[in-house]
Amino acid sequence: MAKQAVRFSKKKRTKYRFQKLKMCKKCQRYSVLKDDTCPKCGTTFVGMEALVKSIFKSRLLTEAIWILIIVSIGIVAAPTVRTLYYSLISGLVFVVSYVVLTSIFIKSEYFIHLKKLLRVDLKKIAIGIQYDSELAKKDVKEDRLAPAYEKLREIGDFLYSDQMKIRRVMVLNDISLRSDMELELETLIPSSYDKDFVKYALEVLKINRTLITKKCIGYFINHRDAIVIDFGINSLLTVAGMTLRMKLYILEFSEFIEEFLDYFPKERVLRLCSILHANPEMEWGSLEEKTNRLVAMKYHYDPDFKRFSVGDEVVSHV
Amino acid sequence: MYSFVFTSLLVLILIWKTFKLFKNKRNSGDFEGIDEELVIMLNKGDSNG
Ligand SMILES: [Zn+2]
């Protein structure tokens, strides 16, 4: 099947995830998607912060009404004119102190309200995200892959299950990927072997090598047998080559690199040599030795390798 | 006597309010914390079914 050429819109970034939550007050339903209006009833969504603020404001209003009632009763019920004045003054002092006190603690009070709302509405939020996920499913069914992926990407900020990751990966596998897309890899790594994920990873690494991370290399190493069966040994060779991206990865996965060293193209060997050469103080272990030996055998007369001057000493070794 | 009772009532309300505000402040924590909590709780529910 031909892959769909699509364009993703930019992901909305917020400092905290809960800021992405919004609610349709009419349906009493939460959503984490980017839409501004509820797809069910068309009402404009209210953001989480606005929601908490409105709840907080109405709480403060109720408190203010109670205070006024108490103070007014106190004043009206005063038996003499003197006690009336006295009540009036103490009532005023009380109101002022109350207002000052509340404004000093306004931040922590807002915070507590937010926390309470998230806890009380947790079930509602989960149901809302479930509904969002159904919408994404519908998009996939109707072959609207870009909106489907955008939905799953937002939901993926909240749900980390393998099932959610694989659903995203499967949509991505039907899309022709481009380097200008904001693609992810590490966040999509499932907890066990998954063929669709590996297929996606190999594809995405072809267009953006910088996406490779420690966790990703670890995944390839842990599931190497299954990967070789499904994708051939060359896929592992590619990943081993990409492991040379960073000094730290080379240190951590030196055994893995050593295994594939003999099959690396010249450009990869050059890269490895230049890193080893630039960091002589590091403990490279047998990798350094093996690399030197390889260079001496295979690239001894290659001028590109002259600058590493591993020359005679190693050759005499071999 | 009336003024005394009324003022005491107001002072009591203030003390109670201050106590509550302090308690809330102590329990409040940070935004990162509730963000974490939200995601953990949602994923717990998700994996249970
Ligand atoms: Zn609605």
Side-chain angles (χ1 to χ4, degrees):
Chain A
M1 195 181 83
K3 292 193 175 200
Q4 248 185 54
V6 298
R7 188 165 289 278
F8 295 144
S9 58
K10 273 230 169 311
K11 192 176 174 187
K12 195 178 150 200
R13 296 195 191 281
T14 53
K15 191 166 180 204
Y16 302 107
R17 272 170 290 207
F18 69 80
Q19 291 170 320
K20 281 193 179 174
L21 280 170
K22 48 197 162 185
M23 187 200 217
C24 167
K25 277 195 164 171
K26 202 169 160 194
C27 310
Q28 286 287 304
R29 185 176 65 80
Y30 280 95
S31 172
V32 296
L33 303 182
K34 280 196 298 191
D35 317 331
D36 294 321
T37 54
C38 171
K40 232 179 190 171
C41 68
T43 312
T44 311
F45 279 123
V46 183
M48 194 66 192
E49 284 166 300
L51 202 65
V52 177
K53 265 181 199 151
S54 80
I55 292 173
F56 190 32
K57 259 187 206 156
S58 69
R59 248 285 305 278
L60 287 180
L61 191 73
T62 322
E63 262 180 31
I65 290 170
W66 270 110
I67 284 167
L68 285 179
I69 290 173
I70 293 171
V71 172
S72 306
I73 290 174
I75 294 166
V76 171
T80 64
V81 179
R82 228 187 111 200
T83 45
L84 187 140
Y85 280 126
Y86 193 84
S87 309
L88 191 68
I89 292 167
S90 54
L92 270 176
V93 171
F94 171 74
V95 169
V96 171
S97 335
Y98 203 97
V99 170
V100 170
L101 209 62
T102 310
S103 55
I104 290 174
F105 287 93
I106 200 144
K107 232 177 156 178
S108 60
E109 284 301 286
Y110 167 77
F111 188 90
I112 287 285
H113 275 81
L114 173 66
K115 199 160 147 182
K116 231 188 230 164
L117 183 65
L118 286 175
R119 280 187 185 165
V120 171
D121 276 4
L122 184 76
K123 199 136 205 176
K124 261 195 203 169
I125 295 171
I127 291 171
I129 296 178
Q130 189 60 43
Y131 184 80
D132 290 342
S133 156
E134 295 295 327
L135 291 178
K137 213 180 256 175
K138 208 173 139 209
D139 278 342
V140 173
K141 251 190 208 148
E142 290 166 15
D143 225 21
R144 292 189 302 264
L145 297 185
Y149 178 70
E150 282 165 12
K151 287 187 179 79
L152 291 173
R153 189 172 61 179
E154 299 297 337
I155 299 167
D157 275 348
F158 292 86
L159 299 182
Y160 298 151
S161 64
D162 279 358
Q163 190 207 0
M164 189 45 77
K165 289 173 183 169
I166 299 310
R167 278 180 66 191
R168 285 172 76 183
V169 161
M170 283 167 83
V171 173
L172 286 166
N173 277 341
D174 286 336
I175 287 174
S176 83
L177 305 175
R178 288 190 318 272
S179 54
D180 63 319
M181 290 170 165
E182 274 180 89
L183 293 167
E184 298 170 35
L185 185 60
E186 169 139 353
T187 45
L188 295 174
I189 299 176
S191 58
S192 59
Y193 177 68
D194 184 88
K195 197 174 166 181
D196 289 307
F197 169 73
V198 178
K199 186 176 163 201
Y200 167 71
L202 291 171
E203 195 66 34
V204 80
L205 286 172
K206 253 188 238 162
I207 56 172
N208 188 355
R209 285 181 173 198
T210 58
L211 286 175
I212 199 144
T213 55
K214 216 164 123 176
K215 199 174 160 195
C216 186
I217 302 166
Y219 184 87
F220 271 85
I221 295 174
N222 288 339
H223 303 287
R224 53 183 301 163
D225 297 337
I227 292 172
V228 169
I229 292 170
D230 287 335
F231 297 92
I233 190 84
N234 274 341
S235 55
L236 280 185
L237 175 61
T238 314
V239 174
M242 285 177 193
T243 307
L244 307 180
R245 203 171 84 77
M246 279 199 197
K247 213 163 62 185
L248 285 176
Y249 295 170
I250 300 179
L251 269 183
E252 173 113 18
F253 301 109
S254 59
E255 264 178 58
F256 181 53
I257 296 171
E258 263 182 56
E259 254 181 83
F260 291 93
L261 196 57
D262 292 335
Y263 307 100
F264 276 168
K266 179 181 150 188
E267 163 269 329
R268 292 281 88 188
V269 182
L270 257 176
R271 166 147 184 92
L272 178 60
C273 278
S274 61
I275 291 175
L276 298 184
H277 193 71
N279 302 280
E281 75 288 351
M282 288 181 106
E283 284 286 330
W284 298 110
S286 56
L287 178 65
E288 188 171 19
E289 202 180 302
K290 209 173 165 192
T291 310
N292 286 342
R293 205 179 307 155
L294 175 78
V295 170
M297 280 200 321
K298 216 168 159 185
Y299 302 104
H300 186 50
Y301 298 107
D302 194 319
D304 289 339
F305 286 85
K306 273 281 177 287
R307 61 193 166 108
F308 303 122
S309 67
V310 280
D312 306 330
E313 167 207 346
V314 180
V315 174
S316 61
H317 224 72
V318 179
Chain B
M1 182 61 193
Y2 174 81
S3 302
F4 175 74
V5 172
F6 181 57
T7 311
S8 312
L9 174 74
L10 297 186
V11 169
L12 273 178
I13 294 176
L14 267 187
I15 290 173
W16 169 78
K17 178 75 182 167
T18 316
F19 169 74
K20 242 187 89 181
L21 287 172
F22 265 105
K23 206 178 98 192
N24 280 349
K25 185 158 174 73
R26 226 194 13 248
N27 290 339
S28 66
D30 53 10
F31 287 113
E32 275 93 5
I34 39 171
D35 220 29
E36 277 303 287
E37 186 189 300
L38 173 70
V39 172
I40 291 171
M41 298 288 272
L42 280 174
N43 282 290
K44 224 192 215 162
D46 194 47
S47 60
N48 285 346

